[in-house]
Each structure stands twice: as C-alpha cells, then as structure tokens.
Amino acid sequence: MSCLYSSDYLNREDQIVSQPSGGQFGLLSQRRFAPFFLTQFLGAANDNLFKFAFTVLVTYQLQVSWLEPKMAGLVIGALFILPFVLMSATAGQWADKYDKATIMRSVKVLEVVVMLIAAVGFWFQWVPVLLGCVFLMGLHSTLFGPVKYAYLPQHLSERELTGGNGLVEMGTFVAILLGNVGGGMLMSVAGRGTHWVAISCLVVAVIGWVVSLQIPRSPSSDPNLKLNWNPASETWRNLKLAAEYPSVFRSLLGISWMWFFGAVFLSQFPSFARDVLGGDEQVASLLLVVFSVGIAVGSLLCETFSHRHVEIGLVPIGAVGMTVFAFDLYLATRGMQHTDSTFLSVTQFVALRGVWRVMGDLALLAFSAGLYSVPMYALIQLRAKPSHRARIIAANNILNALFMIVSSLMAGALLGRGFSIPEVFGATAVLNVVVVGYVFWLMPEYIFRLFMLVVTRLVYRVKVRGDEHLPTDGAAILVCNHVSFVDAVILGIVSPRPMIFIMDHRIFRTPVLGWLFRMLKAIPIAPQKEDPQAYERAFERAKQVLRDGELLCLFPEGGITRDGKLQPFKAGIMKILEETPVPVIPSALHNLWGSSFSRIEGVAMAKPLRRGLFNRVGLVVGPAIPPEQVTPEKLQATVQSLLDEPMP
C-alpha cells in the first residue's frame, strides 16, 4: 500500500513563525524579515536614484546629440533590463543551489563597485560610462531578483506570504519614489548636482551591504543542482519548467504584462511632465510620488482584503482599475502639448485646473496595479516546487524583461510614428483589456475566486477559526458537514490552495453552479444503485487527485441536510483511504442553515434573500487525523464537536 503523507505533516507546528501580532508590519521587527527588507529597499532606492538622476541629466541639463531627451528614458530602461534577459537563468540556478543570504551579500558588494564607477561618471558627466553602469545595475538587480522572491516562502508561512509580498512591493515602490525624488532634488542643486548624486549613490550602496550582513542563513533548496552556463539553453529550460505548472506559468504571464503596462508609464514620466504638462524636474518627481504611493497602498491593502491568505480574486479588480484609470488619464491629457521654453514649478502646477484629475488617475491606476500584482507573486511562491522556486522566479524575470523590452520598443515606435504620450497611454489601456482578458480566459480561476470572494466576504462575511490546519501542500482530504448549495464556494475561498470537490451529480444540472463546479474540476458522484459506473469512476478520480498531491474535499453525509442536523457519515471515505492513505481534516460550517441556499423550507432559493444580505457564517477547522485512525463514526463525532463549538 502506498503512503502519500508524512507523519511530520500531522505532528509539526509550522516550522515558520506564526503571524506576528502586529500583522504584516510585525514582520519589520523580526530578523527573518527586517534585514532582508531593508537590503532590497536600499537596492531599489539606489537603482532609481542613479537612473532618475541620469535621466534628468540627459533630459534637462546635457545636450547629447545621439540621445534625444524624449528617447532617453526608453534607452536607459531598455539597457537596465537587458541583463534580465541574458543572466536571469544563471541567477535562478545560483539561488536554488547556494545559500540565499550569501548571494545577497555578494550582490551588494557588486553594487558598491558599480557605484564607485558611476560616481566617476557623474563627477565628470561621462554619458557612455553612466550607460555602462545602467547595464551593470541591471545585472545587480538580475542577480538579486530570484533570491528575493525565493527567500520569502522559505521564511514566511502561507498566512504571512501575502502580507510579506505586500510589504516588499510597497517597499520597492516607496524606494522608487525616494530614489527618484532624491535623484531629482540632487540634480537640481546648481552646479554641484552630479557631485551630490555620485556621493549619495555610493553611500547608499555601502549601507545596503552593511545591512545585508544581518540577513539570516537561508539554506540551499537544491545543493546538488548542476549548473548550466549556457544562458540560452538554460533560459529555455526554465521557461519549460515554469510551463509544467499551468497556474504558475499563467501567473508569470500576468505579472509580466503588468511590468509591460507599468514600464510605459514609468519610462515616460520625465517627458510627460515636461512636454505634455509643462512641469519642471520637480513635477516629474511629483508624478512619481503619486504613482509610488498608489501602488504602495494597493500592495499593503492586499493582506486586509484577502484576510491574510493568498487571494487571487483581487487580480480581476486590479485589472479593471488599471484599464479604467489609464484610459481616463488619456482622456484628461489628450490634446495637451507644452511649447513654451519655461516650465512650471510644483506650486504652479498643482494650482492648475484639471491636474488633480491627472494625479488621481495615476494614483488609482497604481493602486489597482498593487491589487493586481501582489496576489500573483504570492501564488507563484506558494505553488512552485521549493527546489525549483528560484529558477521559476528567474523565468518570471526573463519574461518580465522581454515584456518590458517590447514595451519600450512599442512606445518608441508609437512616438516615432507621431503618437503623443497621452495617446500611447490610451493605446496601452485598450491593449490591457485584450491581454488581461486572454489571461483570465486561460485561467478562469481568477474570475471564480472573485465570485467566491464577493459571496463569502460581502454576502456571508465568513469568519474562520483553525485555518492553520488547512495544508498549503501535500495530499489530504477535507471533510465537512453539508448544509447548503454554497458550501463548496465558502470552503474554496477559505482554502489557501485549490480544492477538488466530490459532489452529488444532480448539482451539476443547476445552471450556474453546475457550470462553475465543472470548471473547477469537481467530481460528480451518483449513488451506487443508480449508476454503478459513475460511482466507481468518481472514486478512481478521487484517488488520482490524491496521488497527484492535491487537496480533496468531500461531504460524507452524501447530501444536503433537510433538517439542519448532521446526518450519518457514509463509508465512502474508507474506500478512498484504502489505496491512498492521507491525513483527513475535519471541518464544520456554522449558521448556513436557514439561508437562501439551504433546504430549510424544502427547496433551496424558495425565498431568495430570506435572511437579507450580509449574513455572518463561520467555519471551524480541526487538526488533521491520521488515516489509520479514521472511521466514519469518529469523523462524524469530530465534526459534531466542531459544530458544538461557538461560531468564530
């Protein structure tokens, strides 16, 4: 008899520290997170201090015949992300093979060396040297990226993952904000701006290296990995590796599109501020402030909206917001063109009528991007195989880089054909509808999770106790009392990962729910006397689900209760456990009896909204039971005891 579980799963307290009492911000006081956070924060700040100062230099202060101001942002952006294409595959291998803390410290040493060279370039205003440093800082970020996102799931639990990613995204864009604002302010110092930038970049790099020394040890996830030094073949292998996980790979595509989308706006801010809005360097910095604050707030609120779980139902909301506010930005600025030789200060700019609409669009666009990206990053970290996680993240970086390069080429081509910057923004908004719609068509789980989120968080306001017992990986069976037609929806939204349900075949005849459960790969089961073949087919599919290491959910009562009481548990679960012994997790739904979807009056939905809106519903999850201890009677008694507990 094969064994599909480890006793460690049943006995361990999570090896990762539980969610700190201060929520996601409590992580900032812990060594497992704080030094890492500060290291990546300082690195992102230095990247953008350097890049924005250089952009301002060639846009406003130097006249470089071979680098036109309107193309400077695109050239610098493309050069920065080129190493992601060339070296991400190698960086992913290193992050899986070696200790991640050691890699991060080595990368910070590289940053110090590059900033020494950049300091010379700024001091003497040598544009070719600075362009070379742009490439080297891109290499620095390429090496750091896979380590950064592979580090988080190694040190954070599933309940902390969304919050941790939210902090990292917030920190990244606040660092972008501070770096760009700092670069703009330092470059505005008359006669000495480049000198101040040179000193500042070097100081920030040194501080980042010192902080990295405090990052805790992060052991290799695959120490026996044999390195492939051919970047082309390894890149292709990483992409194929990511494609083995359909939900992960499609999320990679979704994230890469977000970077395509964002790169169009970020690369054009200096030119947008100067040529369209008529503002000076400080106005360009103000736009970046607004954008960065928006995405930081959106990223941080992901944990609140998702109730400290990985919630991809937020992604469609973010996608819609990105389109709506990007297109409104186009409508607000179309036809605007600054032709005067003088530029507006920040004070003059904010006094103009209509600019608050522009800044509101930017803030809400960025807020939506935060809701869109953070759950996708968390999903990739949660579902990717730990031994391959860094290489899959490297594949993500490769795709991100390719998408951003294409973004730069597209924006450059449109500008070259006479499009205005607002028209480029509008075209990107329209393209967002097509691309994101295609991603959701490939992976309807995003839309289903949004539907579930609305039902469980707004209509029913679900409260959960014991959700730490829900496994984030490995085969297991969840059993629950069956009270209504939306039980599976509520359980699905609470679970940190997709569940496969065994359900009465008659439910699949219901117009909306039947279509939903078929798309979610639920297993229909018929009574053995009614359809013996369908009965056996259901059990074979259930066993295969467990062999594949997935989470199976079934309702042992065999049907929805007609009196609100727990019915006798049937022996079908024993048939599954005979060949596929896995832990069984008991759970109990509270307060669904009497709702519109229950059979309190014989037929569900006989009186829609009979209890009104916003009903409170509870779920209590108990500890896993080893398969050898499971009997129908024991399971029923355990679920009844969970029902007897107070509602969460």
Side-chain angles (χ1 to χ4, degrees):
M1 181 181 295
S2 62
C3 184
L4 301 179
Y5 76 101
S6 165
S7 60
D8 293 340
Y9 168 82
L10 295 164
N11 299 323
R12 68 178 172 90
E13 294 293 331
D14 201 321
Q15 295 177 2
I16 303 171
V17 180
S18 62
Q19 177 79 11
S21 58
Q24 63 194 121
F25 291 103
L27 293 170
L28 295 173
S29 64
Q30 300 185 20
R31 185 171 175 240
R32 65 192 171 115
F33 186 81
F36 156 78
F37 175 82
L38 288 174
T39 298
Q40 68 87 29
F41 178 89
L42 291 168
N46 216 18
D47 277 344
N48 289 278
L49 169 62
F50 165 69
K51 285 194 298 177
F52 194 72
F54 183 29
T55 303
V56 169
L57 177 66
V58 295
T59 302
Y60 285 95
Q61 298 181 9
L62 280 184
Q63 298 298 320
V64 183
S65 60
W66 47 273
L67 189 61
E68 295 182 19
K70 70 177 183 179
M71 299 299 292
L74 293 173
V75 171
I76 291 171
L79 197 57
F80 182 80
I81 62 178
L82 181 58
F84 284 88
V85 178
L86 301 177
M87 288 295 294
S88 283
T90 302
Q93 292 180 88
W94 288 347
D96 275 334
K97 184 174 179 62
Y98 301 114
D99 184 286
K100 296 170 185 61
T102 301
I103 294 175
M104 284 189 267
R105 292 175 192 131
S106 301
V107 171
K108 300 311 286 186
V109 171
L110 172 63
E111 182 184 352
V112 173
V113 174
V114 174
M115 285 299 100
L116 276 170
I117 301 171
V120 175
F122 272 118
W123 202 274
F124 297 103
Q125 299 186 11
W126 290 343
V127 173
V129 170
L130 292 173
L131 285 172
C133 289
V134 170
F135 178 86
L136 291 174
M137 284 304 286
L139 177 62
H140 152 271
S141 296
T142 299
L143 298 176
F144 196 85
V147 185
K148 176 172 75 172
Y149 286 109
Y151 176 92
L152 287 174
Q154 196 168 353
H155 291 267
L156 304 183
S157 69
E158 184 273 333
R159 285 175 58 82
E160 297 171 311
L161 207 49
T162 294
N165 274 281
L167 283 171
V168 169
E169 290 299 294
M170 177 276 295
T172 298
F173 280 91
V174 169
I176 291 172
L177 161 63
L178 295 178
N180 283 285
V181 170
M185 291 178 64
L186 292 173
M187 287 301 295
S188 66
V189 177
R192 292 287 180 180
T194 53
H195 295 175
W196 281 109
V197 170
I199 295 169
S200 299
C201 286
L202 185 56
V203 169
V204 173
V206 171
I207 294 173
W209 170 72
V210 172
V211 172
S212 73
L213 299 178
Q214 299 302 312
I215 296 174
R217 184 172 175 271
S218 303
S220 164
S221 55
D222 190 1
N224 298 319
L225 175 66
K226 185 177 179 180
L227 297 177
N228 175 14
W229 294 99
N230 185 327
S233 63
E234 184 61 25
T235 295
W236 180 246
R237 190 164 68 180
N238 282 355
L239 291 173
K240 289 199 298 183
L241 180 66
E244 293 176 6
Y245 306 85
S247 64
V248 171
F249 186 68
R250 289 161 188 168
S251 297
L252 298 185
L253 294 176
I255 289 173
S256 297
W257 171 252
M258 190 275 292
W259 282 107
F260 178 107
F261 184 91
V264 172
F265 293 87
L266 289 171
S267 65
Q268 292 302 313
F269 275 164
S271 297
F272 181 60
R274 189 189 70 168
D275 299 334
V276 177
L277 302 177
D280 61 11
E281 299 99 317
Q282 300 307 314
V283 172
S285 296
L286 174 64
L287 298 182
L288 284 161
V289 168
V290 171
F291 190 88
S292 300
V293 169
I295 204 163
V297 172
S299 298
L300 286 176
L301 287 180
C302 281
E303 185 189 53
T304 300
F305 294 155
S306 65
H307 293 247
R308 293 182 177 175
H309 280 295
V310 176
E311 182 47 75
I312 61 174
L314 297 175
V315 174
I317 300 174
V320 171
M322 288 163 63
T323 292
V324 169
F325 297 113
F327 195 76
D328 192 66
L329 180 63
Y330 155 69
L331 295 177
T333 57
R334 61 178 174 172
M336 294 177 63
Q337 185 69 35
H338 183 73
T339 57
D340 200 343
S341 59
T342 60
F343 299 102
L344 300 172
S345 66
V346 170
T347 304
Q348 293 170 323
F349 175 72
V350 297
L352 293 176
R353 186 172 60 182
V355 300
W356 290 99
R357 178 182 173 185
V358 172
M359 291 193 290
D361 283 334
L362 280 175
L364 291 170
L365 182 159
F367 175 86
S368 301
L371 293 182
Y372 176 90
S373 63
V374 168
M376 282 193 174
Y377 275 116
L379 180 141
I380 291 168
Q381 293 163 346
L382 183 65
R383 297 190 186 176
K385 188 176 180 180
S387 61
H388 297 74
R389 188 180 284 134
R391 278 168 284 172
I392 288 176
I393 291 166
N396 176 55
N397 289 342
I398 294 166
L399 290 172
N400 291 351
L402 291 173
F403 273 62
M404 285 190 284
I405 289 172
V406 174
S407 171
S408 298
L409 294 174
M410 184 200 78
L414 292 176
L415 291 171
R417 293 183 66 85
F419 277 60
S420 66
I421 293 175
E423 287 172 342
V424 173
F425 292 167
T428 306
V430 173
L431 197 56
N432 187 59
V433 177
V434 177
V435 174
V436 174
Y438 178 67
V439 171
F440 293 158
W441 179 77
L442 288 176
M443 194 175 174
E445 184 183 352
Y446 288 108
I447 304 298
F448 296 151
R449 294 289 296 195
L450 174 60
F451 168 74
M452 293 177 179
L453 188 65
V454 171
V455 170
T456 57
R457 302 304 186 196
L458 297 182
V459 177
Y460 280 118
R461 296 186 300 159
V462 177
K463 300 293 183 182
V464 185
R465 182 169 63 245
D467 54 338
E468 67 274 9
H469 299 305
L470 294 170
T472 57
D473 55 56
I477 300 174
L478 180 77
V479 298
C480 189
N481 58 319
H482 207 0
V483 192
S484 76
F485 283 97
V486 295
D487 295 351
V489 173
I490 291 172
L491 292 170
I493 200 69
V494 169
S495 173
R497 57 196 271 227
M499 280 195 288
I500 307 297
F501 294 90
I502 299 181
M503 308 186 71
D504 190 307
H505 68 111
R506 289 167 292 188
I507 293 178
F508 291 79
R509 300 172 191 166
T510 307
V512 176
L513 290 176
W515 172 79
L516 174 65
F517 292 132
R518 275 191 293 271
M519 294 298 292
L520 291 176
K521 300 179 181 179
I523 302 172
I525 187 169
Q528 187 174 22
K529 293 180 180 179
E530 178 182 328
D531 190 340
Q533 291 183 338
Y535 178 82
E536 291 297 330
R537 202 162 45 238
F539 281 101
E540 286 306 312
R541 285 185 59 188
K543 294 170 187 176
Q544 188 58 50
V545 165
L546 297 175
R547 293 187 193 103
D548 293 340
E550 298 188 71
L551 181 59
L552 180 71
C553 179
L554 56 86
F555 302 98
E557 294 167 272
I560 297 174
T561 179
R562 295 183 179 274
D563 59 7
K565 297 179 181 178
L566 192 65
Q567 307 301 304
F569 279 19
K570 298 184 177 180
I573 189 171
M574 306 308 297
K575 185 179 177 71
I576 298 174
L577 292 175
E578 282 178 7
E579 294 184 23
T580 51
V582 298
V584 178
I585 303 151
S587 63
L589 285 164
H590 288 249
N591 204 37
L592 269 171
W593 178 248
S595 71
S596 302
F597 295 100
S598 68
R599 287 175 163 164
I600 190 170
E601 295 178 348
V603 180
M605 294 300 293
K607 292 183 179 179
L609 304 179
R610 66 187 308 277
R611 295 198 311 194
L613 290 172
F614 313 119
N615 295 278
R616 187 180 171 195
V617 172
L619 174 69
V620 180
V621 184
I625 302 173
E628 63 273 12
Q629 297 179 17
V630 172
T631 64
E633 296 75 20
K634 179 174 181 177
L635 275 181
Q636 182 178 343
T638 304
V639 172
Q640 184 62 59
S641 69
L642 297 176
L643 282 170
D644 293 338
E645 293 185 15
M647 192 171 77

